[in-house]
Amino acid sequence: MPVEEGAGRAIGPRVWEVAALVHAVADTLAARFASVAVRGEVSGYTRAASGHCYFTLKDAEGTAALRCAMFRRAASLLDFAPEEGHLVELRGRLAVYEPRGELQFVVESMQRAGAGALYERFLRLKAQLEAEGLFDATRKRTIVRHPACIGVVTSLAAAALHDVLTALQRRAPQVRVIVYPSPVQGAEAPAALAAAIETAGRHGRADTLIVARGGGSLEDLWAFNEALVVRAVAASRIPVIAGIGHETDVSLVDFAADLRAPTPTAAAELAAMPREEALAVLHDLERRARRGVALRLDG
């Protein structure tokens, strides 16, 4: 309840201006956490043209995250190149980025503390599935050179689908495309991807199956590292081209697929030869057939 001064004026809670409150919180953090060390996994690491670096530090379970800023001076002292999933130890201070009122960790030094739990899990799964023979080169099938139909497993909302369809329309408009939709990220993605791959094989209408997704962090692409999806690719009744992420991204599906493409667009280009080349092959076959018929008649 409000307390009254002797003059009778009620004294309520203090009303802050936004800037003053944010500044007060920043001062409190600076006083309490002026020097602190924290350990976690690197995610979304980028270096700006200014030389400053920005990334997110996550715990192994993915239940908490902390935005980090490492300014040019500190970044210049790094003796390694931080990558997705690296487990690192940071020293610095907590601060508030006042224009947005966001908590951030200002990094003064960074040291490697291991490959990170997620990357270590990636390596364990790779070794396990490789031991099962899912990555053997002898299992790889030849991609059909002149497909009548291509299947695509990806999200209907993904940019990867647009990239694949655009490339196929430009390159081989005569080829029919069937999309087997599936989420490509999140808890439901692995089971959905495996089901879509199995459905495409059961339908048997496509000559080649493209499994595609755009780029992202190791965490974003994790569905394509799940054993359920890798085994579905290996067991596919249709030859599979993996077009997952950017050229530098690697997933376990890449090892199980019959052919790996560096991007979704490249997957489409590998799936079908250009229309002009296909027509040239047909014209050559026609000439050979005519020549054969003529020789028979002359004989």
Side-chain angles (χ1 to χ4, degrees), residues 16 20 52 70 93 98 107 118 128 141 146 152 243 250 257 264:
W16 293 82
H52 304 326
M70 182 166 54
R93 56 186 173 83
E98 296 191 17
V107 181
L118 199 58
Q128 173 191 335
R141 295 164 291 184
H146 303 286
V152 182
V250 178

Side-chain angles (χ1 to χ4, degrees), residues 22-278:
V22 172
H23 188 69
V25 171
D27 284 345
T28 302
L29 283 175
R32 177 66 178 83
F33 298 98
S35 179
V36 65
V38 61
R39 174 183 293 194
E41 294 182 5
V42 173
S43 178
Y45 185 90
T46 60
R47 181 185 291 270
S50 62
H52 304 326
C53 300
Y54 304 93
F55 58 96
T56 299
L57 194 69
K58 298 182 177 180
D59 65 0
E61 290 74 30
T63 56
L66 182 63
R67 291 292 300 163
C68 299
M70 182 166 54
F71 299 122
R72 182 173 54 192
R73 182 192 60 79
S76 68
L77 299 176
L78 285 173
D79 58 1
F80 71 100
E83 295 181 4
E84 192 72 27
H86 276 174
L87 184 64
V88 296
E89 288 184 1
L90 308 179
R91 292 190 179 276
R93 56 186 173 83
L94 279 177
V96 174
Y97 181 62
E98 296 191 17
R100 289 201 295 265
E102 293 181 351
L103 178 69
Q104 69 175 0
F105 190 82
V106 180
V107 181
E108 296 172 355
S109 68
M110 177 192 294
Q111 293 181 337
R112 283 288 300 272
L118 199 58
Y119 187 62
E120 289 172 359
R121 183 181 172 197
F122 174 91
L123 294 177
R124 287 196 302 271
L125 280 170
K126 182 176 183 293
Q128 173 191 335
L129 297 173
E130 190 170 21
E132 293 178 18
L134 299 187
F135 304 155
D136 288 353
T138 55
R139 295 186 56 264
K140 308 296 183 182
R141 295 164 291 184
T142 302
I143 303 301
V144 177
R145 284 180 55 80
H146 303 286
C149 180
I150 293 174
V152 182
V153 173
T154 192
S155 169
L156 293 177
L161 178 59
H162 176 268
D163 293 344
V164 168
L165 295 180
T166 299
L168 288 175
Q169 178 60 32
R170 179 189 71 248
R171 187 176 179 86
Q174 76 281 2
V175 176
R176 185 183 177 199
V177 178
I178 301 176
V179 179
Y180 296 92
S182 169
V184 293
Q185 185 173 342
E188 74 281 6
L193 285 165
I197 293 166
E198 194 279 332
T199 298
R202 183 160 34 83
H203 283 177
R205 293 152 69 184
D207 301 301
T208 303
L209 188 64
I210 296 174
V211 178
R213 189 212 191 278
S217 66
L218 179 63
E219 185 179 38
D220 293 337
L221 300 176
W222 191 256
F224 298 91
N225 294 321
E226 292 287 358
L228 178 66
V229 181
V230 177
R231 291 194 175 100
V233 169
S236 172
R237 305 176 195 180
I238 305 169
V240 175
I241 300 177
I244 300 163
H246 300 306
E247 189 167 358
T248 56
D249 295 323
V250 178
S251 73
L252 296 181
V253 162
D254 292 331
F255 297 102
D258 298 286
L259 184 63
R260 176 191 181 261
T263 64
T265 297
E269 292 172 348
L270 291 170
M273 67 164 53
R275 182 173 182 271
E276 293 73 17
E277 290 185 24

